[in-house]
């Protein structure tokens, strides 16, 4: 919202002192131009500084997530080793059980054959 200044007698608004026609340089205008240039340079420096802070924050965040990924990878390798060992152990146990079951079956067959041989048979008549 702009505040209107005092109007000139012809009804037009008065021209600010820094709005000069071509060929009307004054030291006040030159000072304002220098001041504006300096202000723009300071603003750009501030923006660069702020963007550097953002970049530093991004690098810190990237470092943090990289460390997390390294830890996850280590954990996955450890879990892989554990599952491999468990699979080997399970296979050995399964083979042992199958061997024991086979031995029991063979023992039953031997006992059955022994019982069969011990059963009374009628003698042959001659």
């Amino acid at each position: 919202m702009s505040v209107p200044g005092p109007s000139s007698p012809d009804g037009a608004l008065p021209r600010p002192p820094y709005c000069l026609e071509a060929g009307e340089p004054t030291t006040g205008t030159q000072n304002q131009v220098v001041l504006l240039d300096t202000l723009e340079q300071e603003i750009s420096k501030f923006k660069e500084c702020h963007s550097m802070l953002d970049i530093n924050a991004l690098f810190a965040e990237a470092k943090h997530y990289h460390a997390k990924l390294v830890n996850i990878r280590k954990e996955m390798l450890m879990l892989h080793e554990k599952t491999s060992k468990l699979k080997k152990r399970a296979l050995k146990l399964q083979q042992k059980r199958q061997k024991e079951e086979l031995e029991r079956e063979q023992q039953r067959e031997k006992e059955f054959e022994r019982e069969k041989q011990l059963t009374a048979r009628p003698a042959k008549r001659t």
Side-chain angles (χ1 to χ4, degrees), residues 82-114:
K82 284 184 177 182
T83 55
S84 296
K85 288 179 182 178
L86 285 173
K87 285 179 182 179
K88 286 180 184 178
R89 184 175 174 206
L91 181 62
K92 285 181 183 179
L93 286 172
Q94 184 181 12
Q95 290 172 344
K96 183 179 176 183
R97 286 185 189 133
Q98 288 175 346
K99 183 180 176 183
E100 289 172 353
E101 184 64 33
L102 182 63
E103 288 173 356
R104 280 195 295 267
E105 186 63 32
Q106 288 173 346
Q107 185 66 30
R108 276 187 239 137
E109 286 179 14
K110 284 181 185 178
E111 288 176 14
F112 180 72
E113 286 296 320
R114 187 169 178 246

Side-chain angles (χ1 to χ4, degrees), residues 12-27:
L13 291 174
R15 188 171 49 141
Y18 56 87
C19 294
L20 301 173
E21 301 285 327
E24 295 182 17
T26 65
T27 45

Side-chain angles (χ1 to χ4, degrees), residues 20-117:
L20 301 173
E21 301 285 327
E24 295 182 17
T26 65
T27 45
T29 304
Q30 290 171 350
N31 288 342
Q32 287 179 352
V33 169
V34 170
L35 184 62
L36 283 175
D37 287 342
T38 306
L39 185 60
E40 286 175 4
Q41 289 174 1
E42 291 298 318
I43 289 172
S44 67
K45 286 180 186 177
F46 178 75
K47 286 180 180 177
E48 286 176 25
C49 182
H50 191 65
S51 66
M52 289 299 291
L53 291 175
D54 289 344
I55 291 171
N56 288 336
L58 287 174
F59 275 113
E61 190 175 2
K63 184 178 179 181
H64 171 74
Y65 284 116
H66 179 265
K68 274 188 164 187
L69 285 172
V70 168
N71 287 338
I72 289 171
R73 185 172 188 268
K74 285 180 184 177
E75 190 174 333
M76 287 178 69
L77 288 173
M78 181 188 66
L79 289 173
H80 176 70
E81 289 175 11
K82 284 184 177 182
T83 55
S84 296
K85 288 179 182 178
L86 285 173
K87 285 179 182 179
K88 286 180 184 178
R89 184 175 174 206
L91 181 62
K92 285 181 183 179
L93 286 172
Q94 184 181 12
Q95 290 172 344
K96 183 179 176 183
R97 286 185 189 133
Q98 288 175 346
K99 183 180 176 183
E100 289 172 353
E101 184 64 33
L102 182 63
E103 288 173 356
R104 280 195 295 267
E105 186 63 32
Q106 288 173 346
Q107 185 66 30
R108 276 187 239 137
E109 286 179 14
K110 284 181 185 178
E111 288 176 14
F112 180 72
E113 286 296 320
R114 187 169 178 246
E115 289 290 325
K116 191 176 178 183
Q117 288 176 0

